[in-house]
Amino acid sequence: MPKAKVGKRIHLSPPHMSGEEWKYISEAFQSNWVAPLGKNVDEFENEIAAYIGVKGAVAVSSGTAALHLALSLLHVKAGDTVFCSSLTFVASANPILYQGATPIFIDSEPETWNMSPQALEQALLEASREGKLPKAVIIVHIYGQSARMEELTAICSKYGVPIIEDAAESLGASYKGKMSGSFGEFAIFSFNGNKIITTSGGGMLVSNNVEALEKARFLATQAREPASHYQHKEMGYNYRLSNVLAGIGRGQMEVLEKRIQKKREIFAKYKQELSQLPEIRFMPELENTCSNRWLTVCLIEQNAIEKNRDHLLKVLTNENIEARPVWKPLHMQPLFSRNRFYPHVQDHVISEQLFLNGLCLPSGTSMTLEEQMRVINCIKNECSGI
Ligand SMILES: *Cc1c(COP(=O)(O)O)cnc(C)c1O
């Protein structure tokens, strides 16, 4: 039988320009203030800081660079340990390696899929007994859902360990009325192409510690001392964001609320159409929190006849629909095979279960209703047969 022609590709979360970006970009061009830094960078930083409700922000070339600077500001160095959520993208932990330090991974808990307070407590208890507390705890807000910040903050402050929030995926999400990224000593955002807003590539470091942010600016510009000749006492980096890309960011900020609303609508539609299927469960939203629903993610229950997550993934791929498994937990990655890991409950690793059954569905804000119905019908056809 000839295979029916498949439809146009539906991507997971492609960039979505608003058109507002042009005015800021052309301003930069007209004033020839393309690089370095400039007004767009300053304004983009101010807009993000005001939106999050923190005292300052530093625009950098990526979320990874922002995280690296945060670790550097907390004096993380060779021989140190840093705790990190296991269920995340590798960029959450790579900067720990850049500093020569050792990541220790913490499992998820079932309701937010983010860092388990009880696993963190256990890890900190053991670390303090061994006399070697971590220099920082990196808490990730996965897929736009805030972690249990109240519990996690209480535990970290009990041991006096600073928090860095990896809010790369959670711009615009809130927890008990406070914005994601306003809880930690530092927080980072990413404006990579797949994130809820994008500068094509870029990131932001935010904090209430303005002195530390000044230091971050210094480190991110090759640690150049104030002298007309080039004077250096410390090792620095070339991490600042260009004024042109910051212009894209300002244009994207104008539509951020719209994007969040759209992401939540996409989720609501999937849920409305698919939640009656017994084998599908959607990622929860913790009480008193608002997820930005960066990606709609669901769990596919395993069953006997091999129609599981991987089967559904294959079917969607054949229909030219981009879907993906949930992040492979970092403690399962070969890169980190020798690193310690603390499960939520002994012999019951939540993040591994989420990885095994979790499926990220196309969630691009430029996706049409027809396109989303194509995804939905494809899943319905498969699941009704289970
Ligand atoms: C995208 C992402 C990053 C890295 O951001 P880049 O801007 O791509 O460097 C870090 N952490 C998480 C959880 C991410 O999703």
Side-chain angles (χ1 to χ4, degrees):
M1 203 173 70
K3 204 171 177 325
K5 195 172 167 292
V6 296
K8 194 172 141 250
R9 181 138 178 93
I10 302 175
H11 290 280
L12 195 67
S13 185
H16 184 184
M17 292 296 115
S18 67
E20 303 300 329
E21 297 81 6
W22 282 117
K23 61 177 184 274
Y24 301 110
I25 296 170
S26 66
E27 210 177 283
F29 273 64
Q30 274 160 17
S31 60
N32 198 33
W33 210 313
V34 169
L37 306 174
K39 182 179 163 201
N40 281 336
V41 171
D42 295 342
E43 290 302 320
F44 189 34
E45 290 177 346
N46 293 338
E47 287 163 16
I48 289 278
Y51 181 75
I52 302 304
V54 290
K55 289 196 181 141
V58 178
V60 291
S61 52
S62 70
T64 310
L67 202 46
H68 189 195
L69 288 170
L71 293 173
S72 174
L73 292 166
L74 291 171
H75 310 292
V76 172
K77 56 184 187 324
D80 289 335
T81 60
V82 174
F83 289 1
C84 182
S85 305
S86 187
L87 189 72
T88 183
F89 181 46
V90 69
S92 301
N94 269 336
I96 303 170
L97 302 182
Y98 302 166
Q99 292 297 94
T102 304
I104 292 177
F105 296 107
I106 312 293
D107 199 10
S108 302
E109 58 88 31
E111 270 168 289
T112 60
W113 297 12
N114 286 309
M115 188 178 282
S116 157
Q118 65 191 62
L120 175 67
E121 177 102 65
Q122 183 63 28
L124 281 171
L125 184 68
E126 281 185 30
S128 79
R129 280 186 188 145
E130 289 165 12
K132 194 172 170 52
L133 284 171
K135 277 284 183 71
V137 177
I138 298 172
I139 298 173
V140 185
H141 307 295
I142 209 77
Y143 302 125
Q145 167 62 56
S146 297
R148 291 184 177 274
M149 290 314 291
E150 216 166 73
E151 292 94 321
L152 295 169
T153 305
I155 297 165
C156 286
S157 51
K158 189 164 99 187
Y159 289 92
V161 181
I163 291 173
I164 302 171
E165 289 178 81
D166 180 344
E169 302 175 2
S170 64
L171 180 62
S174 63
Y175 175 93
K176 301 195 175 174
K178 273 187 78 186
M179 299 304 282
S180 191
S182 65
F183 293 85
E185 173 73 26
F186 297 101
I188 70 102
F189 296 99
S190 166
F191 310 112
N192 190 36
N194 59 351
K195 299 302 197 294
I196 194 156
I197 62 168
T198 182
T199 59
S200 79
M204 195 74 77
L205 176 69
V206 305
S207 179
N208 283 317
N209 185 344
V210 283
E211 216 170 287
L213 291 178
E214 260 330 293
K215 183 75 193 269
R217 286 194 177 87
F218 167 77
L219 291 174
T221 44
Q222 307 285 20
R224 206 172 79 207
E225 300 290 336
S228 64
H229 63 276
Y230 289 85
Q231 175 83 2
H232 301 276
K233 291 191 280 198
E234 276 179 76
M235 183 183 77
Y237 310 96
N238 182 7
Y239 274 171
R240 289 309 301 266
L241 188 67
S242 98
N243 199 44
V244 177
L245 300 191
I248 302 179
R250 291 181 73 193
Q252 291 269 288
M253 278 305 281
E254 291 189 20
V255 293
L256 175 57
E257 284 311 313
K258 255 202 235 170
R259 296 289 183 265
I260 295 167
Q261 202 186 337
K262 179 72 189 187
K263 291 275 190 191
R264 289 184 62 87
E265 281 168 21
I266 290 168
F267 170 81
K269 184 72 185 166
Y270 278 126
K271 189 163 182 197
Q272 178 202 336
E273 296 281 344
L274 297 174
S275 58
Q276 60 274 41
L277 296 170
E279 48 280 271
I280 292 193
R281 268 195 301 138
F282 286 91
M283 182 179 189
E285 187 171 38
L286 189 69
E287 212 181 314
N288 290 323
T289 70
C290 184
S291 169
N292 69 11
R293 294 289 182 190
W294 171 55
L295 295 183
T296 290
V297 192
C298 60
L299 298 175
I300 314 295
E301 298 296 331
Q302 301 272 8
N303 77 10
I305 50 169
E306 283 188 8
K307 282 199 173 178
N308 52 20
R309 193 275 313 276
D310 290 332
H311 171 79
L312 198 52
L313 200 53
K314 216 178 294 168
V315 172
L316 290 165
T317 305
N318 289 341
E319 291 295 324
N320 214 9
I321 294 166
E322 186 188 14
R324 288 197 189 252
V326 158
W327 297 125
K328 180 172 184 171
L330 296 184
H331 74 272
M332 296 171 79
Q333 296 284 1
L335 175 63
F336 299 116
S337 59
R338 282 153 35 151
N339 293 70
R340 274 210 241 177
F341 167 70
Y342 287 87
H344 179 63
V345 179
Q346 207 61 46
D347 304 318
H348 186 57
V349 180
I350 303 293
S351 56
E352 290 181 14
Q353 286 303 314
L354 296 170
F355 169 58
L356 202 64
N357 301 325
L359 184 66
C360 304
L361 298 174
S363 307
T365 46
S366 53
M367 179 168 64
T368 64
L369 186 58
E370 289 72 34
E371 288 172 323
Q372 193 179 1
M373 286 312 295
R374 240 178 80 204
V375 182
I376 286 167
N377 289 327
C378 182
I379 296 171
K380 275 185 180 168
N381 286 341
E382 275 313 306
C383 288
S384 51
I386 294 187

